[in-house]
Amino acid sequence: SPTFSLSESADVPRLSDPDKSVATKYGVLSARGFASRWTCYIDKSGKVAYIEKTVNPATSAEDLLARLAQLNVSTSREGLRF
């Protein structure tokens, strides 16, 4: 939600999925009814470029930057467009 993103000083969009339709479409909904904590990298054309299935909260920011570099995505403020 926008409020959560602002409270966490997030610079990327967050997704609220109360009906679990997005989690279902991305195949991340577990048998227990919770979304798995995966990071989906979506390119500028809207296609999934990579799915990170092992997200470590302690290093997730660094891991995200490293993956963006591997995908040749600029990590400058101007290069990240959301």
Side-chain angles (χ1 to χ4, degrees), residues 14-57:
R14 303 290 175 144
L15 174 69
S16 177
D17 189 22
D19 66 357
K20 303 176 184 178
S21 62
V22 176
T24 300
K25 288 178 184 176
Y26 276 86
V28 299
L29 195 63
S30 73
R32 296 184 309 159
F34 297 101
S36 299
R37 189 172 186 156
W38 293 0
T39 301
C40 298
Y41 297 84
I42 303 169
D43 69 17
K44 291 181 181 184
S45 69
K47 294 182 181 178
V48 176
Y50 187 82
I51 298 174
E52 181 64 59
K53 296 181 180 181
T54 55
V55 177
N56 179 348

